[in-house]
Amino acid sequence: MGEALSKRIKQARFDSPAHEAMLNLMVASDYVREHVDRTCSEHGITRGQYNVLRILRGAHPEGHPRCEIALRMVERAPDVTRLVDRLEHQGLVERDRSESDRRLSITRISTKGLDLLEQLTPELEDFQRRFSAKVSRQDCRELSRICESIYEDAP
């Protein structure tokens, strides 16, 4: 254990198995994020914007208010309004006032946004298939269990 990590960060010893595991988790997370960032960038959006589009596709055609989008994001973003503003500027989402509460703005994914996700999906699914080829189904379940135990009590 730790050979790939030791080689990657050029460090032979770790304070503890927990220290080594945390570093491995950070390196693996960076690897996945880097790939998703690169794929999103090739399509003119950020990883955060991609996350918002996926959330809105799941709520299509009703959409969500900004606060609901913020709650559902994989990575918390400090300014969801700015993310949505940029997506709206690109024509990937549309905003309307709620019929029941005119103070509430509802964001919906546009046809252009759905089309963009359709283009991105095969590339990201290919990356997921490569991940699945390296990590067994049982290990994926165990990895998910471990990750959830790490953050389950987080606010």
Side-chain angles (χ1 to χ4, degrees):
M1 284 276 252
E3 289 178 34
L5 178 63
S6 292
K7 184 177 175 183
R8 165 76 169 67
I9 67 171
K10 299 179 184 351
Q11 179 176 326
R13 292 184 26 222
F14 302 96
D15 295 342
S16 66
H19 180 232
E20 182 179 1
M22 287 177 61
L23 289 172
N24 261 312
L25 184 60
M26 288 188 282
V27 169
S29 174
D30 184 60
Y31 173 77
V32 171
R33 284 181 176 147
E34 187 178 302
H35 180 81
V36 176
D37 282 345
R38 189 173 37 256
T39 303
C40 288
S41 180
E42 290 168 2
H43 292 273
I45 61 172
T46 66
R47 185 176 66 246
Q49 290 170 326
Y50 170 70
N51 189 198
V52 170
L53 289 174
R54 284 186 42 100
I55 291 165
L56 294 174
R57 179 177 61 185
H60 183 70
E62 290 83 19
H64 281 306
R66 182 196 53 78
C67 59
E68 185 65 26
I69 294 169
L71 286 173
R72 293 171 178 257
M73 291 191 70
V74 172
E75 295 177 37
R76 302 292 184 216
D79 198 351
V80 175
T81 301
R82 194 173 318 163
L83 280 174
V84 172
D85 286 346
R86 290 184 183 130
L87 290 169
E88 185 177 34
H89 181 73
Q90 292 177 279
L92 300 171
V93 301
E94 301 161 345
R95 283 192 270 200
D96 293 315
R97 293 283 169 205
S98 168
E99 294 295 323
S100 60
D101 183 351
R102 300 296 297 160
R103 297 170 294 173
L104 189 62
S105 174
I106 302 295
T107 304
R108 294 177 181 81
I109 191 168
S110 68
T111 302
K112 185 177 177 182
L114 289 169
D115 291 344
L116 178 62
L117 286 180
E118 193 71 30
Q119 292 170 21
L120 275 160
T121 298
E123 296 172 52
L124 293 172
E125 283 178 348
D126 180 58
F127 183 65
Q128 186 175 327
R129 274 190 293 280
R130 291 193 317 258
F131 177 90
S132 295
K134 292 180 178 185
V135 183
S136 73
R137 186 179 192 92
Q138 181 179 347
D139 285 346
C140 284
R141 286 190 177 118
E142 182 66 4
L143 179 59
S144 290
R145 186 195 65 73
I146 292 167
C147 288
E148 287 180 6
S149 72
I150 293 169
Y151 67 80
E152 70 185 345
D153 294 333

